Structure formats: structure tokens, C-alpha cells
Amino acid sequence: MAESVVLDPVDLHLLRLLQNDARATYRDLAAQVGVAPSTCLDRVTRLRRSGVILGHQLRLDPAKLGRGLEALLSVQVRPHRRELVGPFVERIRALPESRTVYHLTGPDDYLVHVAVADMADLQRLVLDEFTSQREVARVETRLIFQQWECGPLLPPDAERPA
């Protein structure tokens, strides 16, 4: 398990701001946090090097890309053995419809977030890419009606801003 990194209030403020706008300039961040731009740059660099900041992502609207139907697929793999897990996950990650893959505890082994064009495309995906695989014992599909982004991820003991 990865070690936690000690973060002070300035680090936490920077993380809140960057999670809301990863394209903010160091000058703007520094002004909002109350430090010099060079200090801001040093802190963000340290947060990257320590692994707290993993990268920057561009979020796209699946519907505008012709993938207006999103679903969660609960997948049970049998037998659930290491030699099947790696190839299964890599195959699912390589599908253009796959958004996120989670390895779970409980009756289902995986939860896969997918984005497809329509119901026929979802049916094709489930039948051709999931249930056709020998190790897949069961797939349960749940459509996503709507989703919301939540607040910034911070350590459990970080105080919430007023």
C-alpha cells in the first residue's frame, strides 16, 4: 500500500484549485493561495514527484462523440484465477467503448463503465466482447441515466473550506 504524503494547508488549497481547473497558471494559483509563483511551481512539482498528482486529463462529452448511452457492466469471471485476470483486463481496457474498469470484491469480479452509440451497440458489446469470452460467467447491465462529478479528493483529515 502506498504511503500517505504530508500536506499542509497551502498544498490542500492548491489541490482543490487544480482539481477544479488543471489548466490554471502558476501565477493565478499563487495569487489565490497567497504565495509567490515560484513557490507555487515548487509545490506543484513536489506534489507531482511524490505521486499525489498523477497527471492531467481532458474530459470529453461521450454523447458529442456519438456515444450517448453509458452503462455499468458487472462481470463475473470463472474461474477467477490470476492467469485469466491480466489478459481479461487488458482485453477490456483495449475496447474503445471502455471508460473505466474496476476489480471488485463480492459476487461480481469487475465493474466496467462503457459508452456506446445506442442499445443495439450495447447489446453487440455485451454479446461479442464479454459473454463470448470463455471465462465470463455472467454480465449484468445497468444503464446510467445521469452522472455528477463530486468535490475535490482530499485526505480524510483535511478541513473543508468554508
Side-chain angles (χ1 to χ4, degrees):
M1 189 167 188
E3 284 187 34
S4 293
V5 175
V6 177
L7 304 171
D8 67 18
V10 172
D11 294 329
L12 294 172
H13 196 176
L14 284 169
L15 291 173
R16 279 188 194 98
L17 294 169
L18 285 168
Q19 285 183 77
N20 288 326
D21 181 7
R23 294 180 349 166
T25 66
Y26 291 116
R27 179 174 294 165
D28 290 342
L29 289 169
Q32 292 180 65
V33 175
V35 297
S38 60
T39 301
C40 182
L41 172 62
D42 290 344
R43 283 178 174 263
V44 172
T45 300
R46 181 180 51 79
L47 291 167
R48 280 193 188 105
R49 283 192 183 134
S50 65
V52 173
I53 296 175
L54 298 176
H56 306 280
Q57 294 182 344
L58 180 67
R59 290 180 34 224
L60 303 174
D61 183 341
K64 296 210 166 120
L65 296 173
R67 296 182 182 276
L69 182 64
E70 294 185 71
L72 296 173
L73 307 179
S74 299
V75 182
Q76 192 177 71
V77 173
R78 293 294 175 259
H80 191 193
R81 293 194 315 243
R82 186 172 299 279
E83 61 269 13
L84 294 176
V85 168
F88 172 80
V89 169
E90 290 312 309
R91 186 171 48 255
I92 298 311
R93 289 184 66 212
L95 295 172
E97 299 88 353
S98 294
R99 307 283 314 273
T100 311
V101 180
Y102 300 95
H103 192 189
L104 308 172
T105 63
D108 297 315
D109 300 311
Y110 298 93
L111 184 64
V112 184
H113 178 191
V114 298
V116 295
D118 52 29
M119 195 63 73
D121 196 26
L122 179 60
Q123 181 181 25
R124 177 207 52 79
L125 178 70
V126 170
L127 293 175
D128 295 348
E129 302 295 344
F130 285 84
T131 61
S132 67
Q133 301 302 315
R134 172 177 275 144
E135 68 272 18
V136 174
R138 185 176 61 78
V139 175
E140 217 173 275
T141 304
R142 291 174 179 83
L143 298 180
I144 298 173
F145 291 136
Q146 194 170 2
Q147 65 183 8
W148 295 267
E149 295 292 325
C150 297
L153 179 64
L154 299 171
D157 58 352
E159 292 183 32
R160 293 230 177 251

